[in-house]
Amino acid sequence: MTRTVYVNGEYLPETEAKVSIFDRAFLMADGVYEVTSVLGGKLIDFDGHLARLERSLTELDMPKPKAFDELLDIHRKLVELNGIDEGMVYLQVTRGAPGDRDFAFPDPETCEATLVLFTQNKPGLAENPVAKTGIKVISIEDIRWGRRDIKTVQLLYPSMGKMMAKKAGCDDAWLVEDGFVTEGTSNNAYIVKDGTIITRNLGTDILHGITRAAVLRFAREAQMKVEERPFTIAEAQGADEAFYTSASAFVMPVVEIDGESIGTGKPGDVATRLREIYLEESRKAGV
Ligand code: PLP
């Protein structure tokens, strides 16, 4: 089945969807994005993703796309048109295509934002067998720009990090700055020690994960102790458990860091329980 995608107001077969070569995201990585997961045909944490998109646009002085207020309907229509039960909706907004290349931002009065959305069908996303065995990570230096709280499409270094992990026989990389873990290439990082969940505090050095916010809320509601502070790789290697969160992986246990087994070397109870709670509560609240 050909996927139907959305480009600037039109629903089109993916083979007919086009964006200008002068688009600012293509030439300058001048774009922001969101990924919202779909479970049982419903959007998970949609309000959080929309709020973060609005914040990313504001922080970059990027005009809102004309259809901003219709985004929920567009997401829903794409899920329906493409028959998505489990998967994701990818959304990207760029500063538009001014018709030439120039470092200066184009005038938002004459250059409209580009808005693109497409679905990714991932049957079995919630029942991912990897969550039962856990994943292995390596640590690499965090050399990304200083505004990681803005969800931009500058994903070259995170892609390189994933490739470095693959080459090392692992699944992902955790990024380290000044001796402390910031986050994963595309996820927020956590450890658990003596029943306390530890994850880096919010700031400009990490993305404010929408899954992170929900998972910490559920953890506190379940009377789990949470500490928001930086931690080192050595502390993580000596922890009882490690895991990461993201919209597409939910809560994913990490069982090895730089070749050292974490805890028992199997997914821990806290990560496993948080994954269950997150999936259960998110399904209930899906829109
Ligand atoms: N950190 C980074 C660098 C990310 O790219 C992502 C998701 O893409 C996350 C954290 C997790 O954010 P969310 O839970 O909103 O998917």
Side-chain angles (χ1 to χ4, degrees):
M1 189 173 98
T2 311
R3 179 164 41 176
T4 301
V5 304
Y6 176 97
V7 184
N8 294 329
E10 287 187 284
Y11 293 88
L12 299 164
E14 62 184 34
T15 45
E16 286 170 33
K18 291 193 173 54
V19 175
S20 164
I21 62 159
F22 296 112
D23 195 277
R24 295 274 306 181
F26 181 61
L27 296 178
M28 310 263 176
D30 191 358
V32 297
Y33 75 108
E34 284 297 329
V35 177
T36 304
S37 61
V38 178
L39 291 176
K42 300 265 195 240
L43 297 157
I44 303 303
D45 288 334
F46 180 79
D47 290 349
H49 288 287
L50 192 69
R52 186 172 61 190
L53 173 66
E54 190 163 18
R55 180 178 180 277
S56 294
L57 293 169
T58 305
E59 291 296 309
L60 293 176
D61 229 351
M62 201 180 282
K64 268 190 192 176
K66 268 194 310 199
F68 187 86
D69 294 335
E70 296 153 43
L71 283 175
L72 177 58
D73 290 341
I74 298 170
H75 276 74
R76 282 179 165 155
K77 188 159 174 186
L78 283 180
V79 167
E80 191 190 316
L81 287 173
N82 292 292
I84 307 294
D85 181 50
E86 291 197 357
M88 280 99 77
V89 181
Y90 177 88
L91 169 158
Q92 183 170 323
V93 180
T94 86
R95 206 180 299 274
D100 203 352
R101 181 176 182 270
D102 189 352
F103 279 80
F105 292 174
D107 180 354
E109 296 296 321
T110 53
C111 182
E112 265 176 34
T114 300
L115 174 63
V116 170
L117 289 96
F118 57 82
T119 52
Q120 292 186 284
N121 192 25
K122 303 268 178 197
L125 189 66
E127 285 307 314
N128 186 351
V130 179
K132 299 245 176 344
T133 51
I135 64 129
K136 299 175 183 177
V137 304
I138 57 165
S139 64
I140 59 171
E141 201 191 334
D142 195 341
I143 58 166
R144 297 172 301 162
W145 80 323
R147 288 302 307 273
R148 301 158 196 157
D149 55 314
I150 308 172
K151 197 166 169 66
T152 77
V153 296
Q154 303 173 70
L155 296 175
L156 181 55
Y157 189 64
S159 293
M160 289 168 71
K162 290 256 191 222
M163 294 312 292
M164 288 183 237
K166 268 191 171 197
K167 215 171 158 186
C170 293
D171 310 283
D172 199 13
W174 277 9
L175 307 167
V176 176
E177 185 174 55
D178 299 330
F180 292 95
V181 174
T182 50
E183 58 188 336
T185 57
S186 59
N187 46 68
N188 290 114
Y190 307 71
I191 56 172
V192 182
K193 185 71 180 172
D194 298 329
T196 299
I197 299 162
I198 302 158
T199 191
R200 195 179 177 101
N201 45 299
L202 296 181
T204 51
D205 39 19
I206 64 167
L207 185 72
H208 302 189
I210 302 307
T211 320
R212 177 190 183 279
V215 164
L216 292 187
R217 181 162 41 87
F218 297 140
R220 288 180 169 121
E221 282 169 11
Q223 314 301 326
M224 297 179 189
K225 230 180 116 196
V226 176
E227 266 179 35
E228 295 182 61
R229 63 160 176 86
F231 59 86
T232 63
I233 289 293
E235 190 181 1
Q237 287 171 328
D240 302 323
E241 292 186 33
F243 64 93
Y244 71 63
T245 64
S246 74
S248 52
F250 314 118
V251 178
M252 181 58 70
V254 171
V255 294
E256 193 184 294
I257 304 175
D258 285 340
E260 294 281 328
S261 276
I262 309 305
T264 60
K266 297 212 169 72
D269 292 343
V270 173
T272 304
R273 181 79 193 109
L274 282 175
R275 184 179 175 91
E276 281 167 12
I277 299 175
Y278 179 77
L279 286 171
E280 195 182 317
E281 295 300 321
S282 304
R283 277 182 196 280
K284 278 193 235 161
V287 295

